[in-house]
Amino acid sequence: MMMKNKSIIEMYRGIPIQAKASIWFVLCSVVQKGLAFLTTPIFTRIMSAEEYGVVSVYNSWISILTVVLTLQLATGVYNKAMIRYEHQRNEYTSSILILTTLMLLFWLGVYLLFSKKISGLLGMSSDLTVMLFIDMIFSEAMSLWTIRNKFEFEYKNVVVYTLLSTFLSTVGSVFAVFLFPQHKSYARICTTVLVHVLVYLVIYCKIIYRGKKLFWPSAWRYALNYNLPLIPHYLSQQILNQADRLMINSICGSAQTAMYTVAYQIAMVLNIVTTAIDSSFAPWAYQKISAHKEEEVGKLASQILMGTACVCFFFTLFAPECIYVLGGSEYKEAVWVVPPVCMSVYFIMLYSLVSTVTFYYEKTKSIMASSCIIAIFNIILNSIFIKRFGMAAAGYTTLVCYVLYAIIHYLLVRRISREEKRPCPFKTLLIWGPAGVVLFFTFLSSISYLFLWLRTLLIFVFAIIIVSILYKYREKVLEFTSKK
């Protein structure tokens, strides 16, 4: 056993710094999201649904407004700038931090002039909106510093600061909710913002001290010219992720928003896995396409989709139990949101895998156009169906939008393959066959919550399928376990 441990340590020491950084960044992300998931049952039991919904709305607005008010200068262009300003990275970083701070202070001033109207539009109080601006200012410093360190494979400090911030804000929020029982949502949000300010202030000062360059008009022009055309794409992505919660809050109230958010926590767990898979699949796929081995790309993609479908269906089958653990009996209505939200993850995985071809051939304008169309369509569907059918409708409108998004990406890839005179890596039957099964079982699972016999039958069928897959690939499974 000791020899095995030594060999593992030696193997770890022998892997390249790039691989070490990737491992630690993935682990850090898993711990972050895992902690958020594990603490959900605590917060749903010590906060009312309305209070939990207020926190959800705050988080949704900060995701959307960060794109609009900072122009995403801490992402997208920043990696490119690390090459362009290779010998002036500190100066570029400090100047961009000052630029984003000035932009946020400007918009804060605009807000203070029209606070009543804007607060009404956002559905948040003035206090929380001011806290949102403070949070964004210091979070931008953390974003710039994190991406800089990722680019240079300096993972240790990022992991420490990220986990420290996550742990302090999570634990501190729990204590704050108990200390201020009359203002639980405020206590949770203010604690998170306070931790961000205290931890990220160190990073903010470090960036300014090292860079020393506060005003750099030419670098600002470069960053703005690069990122402005990408804003519709970034904003569309956030609208797809967050608009449903904001519209539920506006139409149905914060309690319904809380229930929808709890259901979405299950999808968040699935996203941890799919994001990790996609980050590994993309570079591998680029190499295979470059080597004219498109068939291998399609084969692996179909296997990944089959695995994703099984995991999504598992969570869908056991949605009532998952919701009870996460929220208790108060959140039982959220069970109807789980099937469409979980199956949306399948189609997110589908378009992520398919779009690797689009990115490989640098056809990014097509991606931006499709993102904008789907985001607008999502808002239209939500405005129609949430009013008629409540929060559960948002889950199905999201599913419809991701299905359409996947179809658009697939058609784009087929067109690009024809233009490049290369075979399309993805076979229609292997990609859309499982997708049809996924959609069928989504609706069947929803019905099964009303009939115990049907749900029992589905669980039995699912178990047979899993056993059959394991038996089919038993040699590979035995080979993998024997290596362990």
Side-chain angles (χ1 to χ4, degrees), residues 408-422:
I408 290 170
H409 275 283
Y410 180 71
L411 294 175
L412 279 173
V413 167
R414 289 186 68 86
R415 192 192 74 190
I416 291 165
S417 298
R418 286 196 300 271
E419 289 173 356
E420 298 293 331
K421 297 180 180 177
R422 300 279 291 273

Side-chain angles (χ1 to χ4, degrees), residues 285 288-299 354 356-358 360-361 410 412-428:
K288 292 297 179 181
I289 295 169
S290 179
H292 293 259
K293 295 180 179 178
E294 284 89 352
E295 190 178 336
E296 292 183 31
V297 174
K299 187 178 179 182
V354 169
T356 53
V357 176
T358 314
Y360 176 82
Y361 291 109
Y410 180 71
L412 279 173
V413 167
R414 289 186 68 86
R415 192 192 74 190
I416 291 165
S417 298
R418 286 196 300 271
E419 289 173 356
E420 298 293 331
K421 297 180 180 177
R422 300 279 291 273
C424 179
F426 311 105
K427 305 301 178 187
T428 304

Side-chain angles (χ1 to χ4, degrees), residues 312-355:
C312 291
F313 189 49
F314 172 83
F315 279 99
T316 302
L317 276 176
F318 294 98
E321 289 75 19
C322 291
I323 292 297
Y324 183 78
V325 171
L326 287 173
S329 57
E330 187 182 359
Y331 288 81
K332 62 184 179 182
E333 285 182 49
V335 72
W336 304 106
V337 181
V338 175
V341 165
C342 278
M343 293 311 168
S344 293
V345 174
Y346 174 87
F347 289 97
I348 291 170
M349 185 80 259
L350 196 159
Y351 84 69
S352 296
L353 296 175
V354 169
S355 64

Side-chain angles (χ1 to χ4, degrees), residues 46-228:
I46 63 177
M47 300 173 73
S48 68
E50 288 80 4
E51 290 164 337
Y52 193 86
V54 170
V55 177
S56 176
V57 169
Y58 174 88
N59 290 332
S60 294
W61 273 123
I62 202 167
S63 297
I64 291 174
L65 291 177
T66 297
V67 176
V68 177
L69 305 184
T70 70
L71 304 179
Q72 288 287 79
L73 295 180
T75 57
V77 67
Y78 190 76
N79 277 323
K80 195 80 174 176
M82 289 297 95
I83 299 169
R84 183 184 177 97
Y85 299 97
E86 186 177 356
H87 303 295
Q88 295 173 297
R89 288 175 180 174
N90 289 332
E91 291 85 348
Y92 178 83
T93 305
S94 63
S95 70
I96 292 298
L97 179 56
I98 291 298
L99 178 58
T100 55
T101 301
L102 290 173
M103 287 193 297
L104 288 169
L105 289 174
F106 168 78
W107 288 115
L108 176 59
V110 172
Y111 167 74
L112 293 173
L113 288 173
F114 307 99
S115 58
K116 286 186 180 179
K117 288 184 179 179
I118 297 174
S119 290
L121 182 66
L122 298 179
M124 292 196 306
S125 68
S126 297
D127 295 337
L128 286 183
T129 308
V130 171
M131 295 298 289
L132 183 145
F133 276 97
I134 295 169
D135 199 353
M136 282 193 288
I137 288 170
F138 289 95
S139 293
E140 283 301 292
M142 181 63 176
S143 297
L144 286 165
W145 182 75
T146 300
I147 295 171
R148 166 79 182 271
N149 280 274
K150 280 185 176 182
F151 189 87
E152 296 173 347
F153 306 108
E154 298 289 341
Y155 58 89
K156 292 179 182 177
N157 287 334
V158 174
V159 170
V160 170
Y161 271 91
T162 303
L163 295 183
L164 177 68
S165 171
T166 303
F167 179 78
L168 289 176
S169 61
T170 304
V171 175
S173 295
V174 173
F175 282 109
V177 168
F178 281 113
L179 287 172
F180 302 96
Q182 302 302 318
H183 307 282
K184 291 179 180 179
S185 55
Y186 278 73
R188 186 179 172 188
I189 292 168
C190 290
T191 303
T192 301
V193 175
L194 180 62
V195 170
H196 287 176
V197 171
L198 293 175
V199 176
Y200 301 164
L201 178 61
V202 177
I203 296 167
Y204 194 104
C205 295
K206 191 184 290 186
I207 290 173
I208 298 301
Y209 176 76
R210 286 182 177 175
K212 295 183 175 66
K213 202 175 188 77
L214 306 183
F215 299 95
W216 195 355
S218 62
W220 291 359
R221 279 194 300 272
Y222 167 74
L224 292 170
N225 288 335
Y226 187 98
N227 252 37
L228 277 172

Side-chain angles (χ1 to χ4, degrees), residues 201-446:
L201 178 61
V202 177
I203 296 167
Y204 194 104
C205 295
K206 191 184 290 186
I207 290 173
I208 298 301
Y209 176 76
R210 286 182 177 175
K212 295 183 175 66
K213 202 175 188 77
L214 306 183
F215 299 95
W216 195 355
S218 62
W220 291 359
R221 279 194 300 272
Y222 167 74
L224 292 170
N225 288 335
Y226 187 98
N227 252 37
L228 277 172
L230 296 171
I231 294 305
H233 173 65
Y234 291 136
L235 185 57
S236 299
Q237 291 291 316
Q238 289 302 326
I239 288 171
L240 273 173
N241 292 330
Q242 308 294 340
D244 43 13
R245 271 161 278 197
L246 296 175
M247 295 184 77
I248 290 169
N249 182 65
S250 176
I251 298 167
C252 306
S254 56
Q256 294 283 294
T257 309
M259 291 184 189
Y260 188 84
T261 303
V262 167
Y264 230 93
Q265 292 295 321
I266 298 169
M268 187 185 74
V269 174
L270 296 175
N271 271 325
I272 295 172
V273 180
T274 56
T275 302
I277 292 170
D278 184 50
S279 62
S280 302
F281 178 83
W284 175 85
Y286 292 162
Q287 292 172 19
K288 292 297 179 181
I289 295 169
S290 179
H292 293 259
K293 295 180 179 178
E294 284 89 352
E295 190 178 336
E296 292 183 31
V297 174
K299 187 178 179 182
L300 181 59
S302 63
Q303 291 172 351
I304 290 171
L305 288 171
M306 286 294 292
T308 305
C310 289
V311 175
C312 291
F313 189 49
F314 172 83
F315 279 99
T316 302
L317 276 176
F318 294 98
E321 289 75 19
C322 291
I323 292 297
Y324 183 78
V325 171
L326 287 173
S329 57
E330 187 182 359
Y331 288 81
K332 62 184 179 182
E333 285 182 49
V335 72
W336 304 106
V337 181
V338 175
V341 165
C342 278
M343 293 311 168
S344 293
V345 174
Y346 174 87
F347 289 97
I348 291 170
M349 185 80 259
L350 196 159
Y351 84 69
S352 296
L353 296 175
V354 169
S355 64
T356 53
V357 176
T358 314
F359 280 109
Y360 176 82
Y361 291 109
E362 299 181 359
K363 306 289 185 179
T364 52
K365 287 182 181 178
S366 302
I367 292 174
M368 281 189 279
S370 61
S371 299
C372 293
I373 292 166
I374 294 299
I376 294 167
F377 188 58
N378 181 248
I379 291 171
I380 294 169
L381 288 179
N382 280 334
S383 64
I384 295 169
F385 291 102
I386 292 174
K387 287 178 183 177
R388 293 185 181 182
F389 303 105
M391 66 159 184
Y396 286 96
T397 57
T398 300
L399 175 59
V400 168
C401 287
Y402 279 123
V403 171
L404 290 174
Y405 202 32
I407 291 171
I408 290 170
H409 275 283
Y410 180 71
L411 294 175
L412 279 173
V413 167
R414 289 186 68 86
R415 192 192 74 190
I416 291 165
S417 298
R418 286 196 300 271
E419 289 173 356
E420 298 293 331
K421 297 180 180 177
R422 300 279 291 273
C424 179
F426 311 105
K427 305 301 178 187
T428 304
L429 186 62
L430 291 176
I431 292 295
W432 293 104
V437 175
V438 163
L439 288 172
F440 174 74
F441 275 109
T442 299
F443 298 111
L444 203 59
S445 297
S446 298

